């Protein structure tokens, strides 16, 4: 059945079996939903968005000082035109951060390249504390949501805990989409690689989700996160939960769009387990998606590095 709006899931009601069943339907049939009542107030989220606008309003030279080309770990600033999706240039600028941690003293696997410290702009010192605090709180929400999804599929709530224990891989970005006449590709159609993605939108629409062969507008809902299922969760559920194509259309000239994206996956050194779901759910599985141009790897670190190199082919080469 076609839908006109994404399902709405209440985080505060996930201890209810009825809400978990609604969550299961949303995650398996749509792959996207609004998450409300998650504990972060509209005021707190507005502060993050305002700080994001301040960052993108910095002089170009100050933003360039934390350019991703200075990070061997794929963190920092990208100007418009520095990211690719599906081989085409995205019309957006962004600032990426991940878990704050020292780089390994010895690189034994290529994927360890993504481990390391973030870059932070000296001109906006509060950015570091605010963004790291946001991603920490989002991780708590993501873990609870992931456990509720496991329960909704008839599994133990902690069925995936071993894959992310102590330190799940997280990756976040603040994003600005400027108005464009040259291209409507704010970011091209794609699926996200991890377990779960949260997107905080401003008042400007542009996010679109593919559903039953049509593109569905995801209108901003104040105070909500737009949540989507990632490829690794599709893999872990053996295709029962669905990662869904989505894209962002660039705003019209004279307007701009801001958003904050958070991505949560398992530990980088983990191999994603495949859950043994109840037979009635296995029978409903649509199967795992395949894309010969973007093969899904079950080893988390290898899958993450593949995605970073595809999106940022010139980054990650700093000395």
């Amino acid at each position: 059945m076609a839908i006109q709006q994404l399902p709405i899931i209440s985080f505060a009601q996930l201890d209810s079996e009825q809400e978990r069943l609604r969550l299961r339907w949303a995650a398996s049939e749509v792959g996207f939903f609004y998450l409300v009542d998650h504990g972060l107030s509209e005021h707190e989220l507005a502060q993050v968005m305002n700080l994001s606008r301040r960052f993108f309003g910095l002089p170009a030279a100050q933003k360039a000082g934390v350019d991703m080309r200075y990070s061997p770990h794929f963190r920092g600033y990208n100007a418009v035109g520095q990211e690719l999706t599906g081989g085409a240039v995205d019309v957006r600028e962004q600032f990426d951060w991940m878990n704050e941690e020292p780089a390994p003293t010895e690189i034994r696997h290529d994927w360890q390249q993504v481990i390391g410290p973030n870059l932070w702009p000296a001109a906006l010192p509060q950015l570091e504390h605010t963004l790291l605090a946001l991603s920490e709180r989002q991780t708590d929400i993501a873990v609870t949501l992931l456990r509720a999804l496991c329960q909704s599929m008839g599994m133990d709530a902690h069925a995936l805990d071993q894959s992310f224990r102590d330190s799940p891989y997280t990756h976040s970005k603040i994003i600005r989409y400027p108005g464009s006449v040259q291209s409507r590709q704010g970011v091209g159609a794609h699926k996200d690689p991890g377990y779960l993605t949260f997107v905080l939108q401003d008042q400007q629409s542009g996010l679109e989700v593919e559903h039953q062969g049509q593109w569905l507008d995801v209108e901003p809902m104040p105070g909500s996160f737009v949540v989507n299922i990632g490829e690794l969760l599709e893999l872990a559920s053996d295709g029962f939960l669905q990662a869904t194509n989505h894209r962002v259309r660039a705003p019209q000239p004279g307007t701009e769009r801001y958003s904050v994206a958070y991505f949560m996956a398992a530990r980088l050194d983990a191999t994603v387990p495949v859950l043994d779901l109840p037979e009635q759910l296995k029978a409903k599985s649509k199967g795992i998606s395949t894309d010969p141009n973007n093969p899904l790897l079950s080893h988390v670190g290898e899958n993450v590095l593949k995605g970073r190199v595809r999106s940022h082919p010139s980054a990650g080469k700093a000395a």
Side-chain angles (χ1 to χ4, degrees):
M1 182 178 65
I3 60 173
Q4 301 301 314
Q5 177 185 281
L6 294 186
I8 301 172
I9 301 298
S10 170
F11 183 80
Q13 296 179 29
L14 286 179
D15 56 350
S16 157
E17 182 178 1
Q18 181 179 6
E19 193 69 4
R20 290 198 298 270
L21 289 176
R22 294 182 66 250
L23 171 65
R24 187 178 78 186
W25 182 87
S28 62
E29 296 298 325
V30 185
F32 265 82
F33 52 90
Y34 294 106
L35 187 69
V36 299
D37 307 326
H38 44 66
L40 284 162
S41 69
E42 288 190 41
H43 176 70
E44 290 174 301
L45 297 178
Q47 287 182 316
V48 171
M49 199 65 78
N50 288 337
L51 193 58
S52 170
R53 290 188 178 93
R54 288 180 60 190
F55 170 79
F56 290 116
L58 290 174
Q62 293 184 4
K63 291 184 290 188
V66 288
D67 194 284
M68 191 177 286
R69 69 179 183 270
Y70 299 129
S71 169
H73 317 295
F74 297 94
R75 296 129 190 272
Y77 173 71
N78 279 279
V80 173
Q82 290 184 333
E83 184 180 29
L84 305 176
T85 301
V89 175
D90 296 326
V91 182
R92 65 178 182 175
E93 60 175 327
Q94 58 194 359
F95 176 83
D96 293 53
W97 74 99
M98 304 180 199
N99 299 7
E100 187 69 71
E101 52 194 337
T105 56
E106 179 184 3
I107 299 292
R108 302 180 62 184
H109 306 282
D110 288 346
W111 54 263
Q112 291 177 291
Q113 180 182 352
V114 303
I115 302 172
N118 295 299
L119 299 179
W120 299 107
L124 201 59
Q126 61 268 55
L127 195 71
E128 177 178 1
H129 170 76
T130 300
L131 296 187
L132 288 177
L134 173 67
S135 55
E136 182 177 351
R137 293 183 67 179
Q138 288 179 308
T139 297
D140 290 339
I141 296 168
V143 167
T144 300
L145 186 58
L146 196 58
R147 289 171 177 165
L149 278 165
C150 287
Q151 287 181 290
S152 78
M153 296 185 291
M155 308 299 297
D156 184 273
H158 304 282
L160 291 174
D161 279 21
Q162 186 64 21
S163 72
F164 62 79
R165 57 178 174 79
D166 302 330
S167 181
Y169 167 76
T170 68
H171 167 211
S172 303
K173 57 178 69 182
I174 52 176
I175 310 164
R176 174 182 173 268
Y177 297 89
S180 172
V181 295
Q182 298 177 332
S183 172
R184 293 308 312 278
Q185 179 170 310
V187 61
H190 66 286
K191 297 179 181 180
D192 291 339
Y195 274 158
L196 293 168
T197 300
F198 297 170
V199 175
L200 171 65
Q201 303 191 88
D202 69 358
Q203 296 78 30
Q204 178 71 39
S205 62
L207 176 60
E208 297 178 343
V209 171
E210 189 175 24
H211 179 65
Q212 297 187 354
Q214 303 294 322
W215 288 101
L216 176 69
D217 289 330
V218 182
E219 293 295 331
M221 179 180 290
S224 73
F225 291 127
V226 179
V227 179
N228 65 277
I229 303 302
E231 293 174 318
L232 291 184
L233 194 49
E234 179 178 307
L235 180 64
S237 65
D238 204 19
F240 176 70
L241 303 181
Q242 288 289 298
T244 304
N245 269 324
H246 53 288
R247 66 189 184 189
V248 176
R249 307 298 283 171
Q252 295 291 340
T255 60
E256 56 187 1
R257 177 180 186 269
Y258 291 87
S259 66
V260 184
Y262 163 89
F263 310 89
M264 181 263 199
R267 292 171 58 93
L268 287 171
D269 60 359
T271 297
V272 174
V274 178
L275 302 174
D276 186 18
L277 299 184
E279 291 300 325
Q280 65 269 28
L281 298 189
K282 289 182 181 179
K284 295 180 179 180
S285 173
K286 300 177 180 65
I288 296 171
S289 306
T290 58
D291 181 352
N293 296 316
N294 184 28
L296 179 58
L297 307 175
S298 61
H299 187 278
V300 177
E302 292 174 357
N303 205 60
V304 166
L305 179 60
K306 175 202 66 175
R308 300 306 286 158
V309 172
R310 282 173 59 87
S311 297
H312 304 281
S314 63
K317 299 178 182 178

